[in-house]
Amino acid sequence: MRYHNITKDDMLNGDGLRVVLWVAGCNHCCRECHNPVTWDPNGGIPFDEAARQEIFEQLDKDYISGITFSGGDPLHPANHMDVRELMEEIKGKYPDKTIWLYTGDSWENICDDPMMRFVDVVVDGEFIVEERDPKLLWKGSRNQRVIDVPRTLSGGNPSVPVIHCPDYM
């Protein structure tokens, strides 16, 4: 896995203050994407032990709510296994911290992925510039959904997403 940045004390990409890992690699290539530099899976720098420790140092802080995986697309084939392993390690070490995942994939295509058992919130769907709305919370276009993964997976029909904070959508 390769990445472009680790953002600290982020307030835009999920609930509370977060650390954000911006991975390299995206096949969606949405028109007017806010981060096209992350599309190339060979871009950025290798995710190494120093990067892992930088994330853990942030997650050690009481005021950090959790981690957000963004990019690029954390579910890109170049990222998928490494992201899953990192999520599993984070959930084991920080069970009270939340994990958010941004992906251009739809929930219906990823709801059966075993990785989802480590995820608290998924923001799904490609960014569609015609649906852009700067007033939306945690997403860029109206077609995207902010999904409460544990409630969705425990609801009996995982293909029907439960929206996280529906009053704000």
Side-chain angles (χ1 to χ4, degrees), residues 36-127:
V37 69
T38 64
W39 292 355
D40 181 359
N42 297 311
I45 57 176
F47 186 82
D48 59 10
E49 187 58 31
R52 174 182 265 100
Q53 288 309 313
E54 184 176 346
I55 288 171
F56 289 158
E57 286 171 13
Q58 293 304 303
L59 291 171
D60 281 340
K61 298 174 181 176
D62 289 341
Y63 65 85
I64 295 296
S65 301
I67 185 168
T68 299
F69 290 85
S70 193
D73 191 338
L75 299 183
H76 184 278
N79 302 320
H80 194 274
M81 286 307 300
D82 292 324
V83 167
R84 188 192 92 41
E85 289 172 5
L86 184 56
M87 284 182 176
E88 184 174 14
E89 187 175 359
I90 290 168
K91 269 298 181 193
K93 188 169 179 162
Y94 306 97
D96 295 329
K97 306 274 183 173
T98 58
I99 294 177
W100 283 51
L101 171 73
Y102 279 78
T103 180
D105 288 322
S106 72
W107 172 253
E108 291 76 12
N109 290 336
I110 63 171
C111 65
D112 293 330
D113 188 321
M115 178 192 296
M116 293 305 119
R117 73 179 185 262
F118 303 116
V119 178
D120 295 288
V121 177
V122 164
V123 180
D124 81 330
E126 293 185 357
F127 171 75

Side-chain angles (χ1 to χ4, degrees), residues 1-6 21-24 40-48 51 54:
M1 173 172 68
R2 299 179 69 83
Y3 76 106
H4 283 270
N5 194 21
I6 296 171
L21 176 62
W22 302 91
V23 299
D40 181 359
N42 297 311
I45 57 176
F47 186 82
D48 59 10
E54 184 176 346

Side-chain angles (χ1 to χ4, degrees), residues 146-162:
V146 183
I147 299 167
D148 183 320
V149 175
R151 287 184 53 214
T152 298
L153 294 178
S154 68
N157 186 355
S159 65
V160 178
V162 175

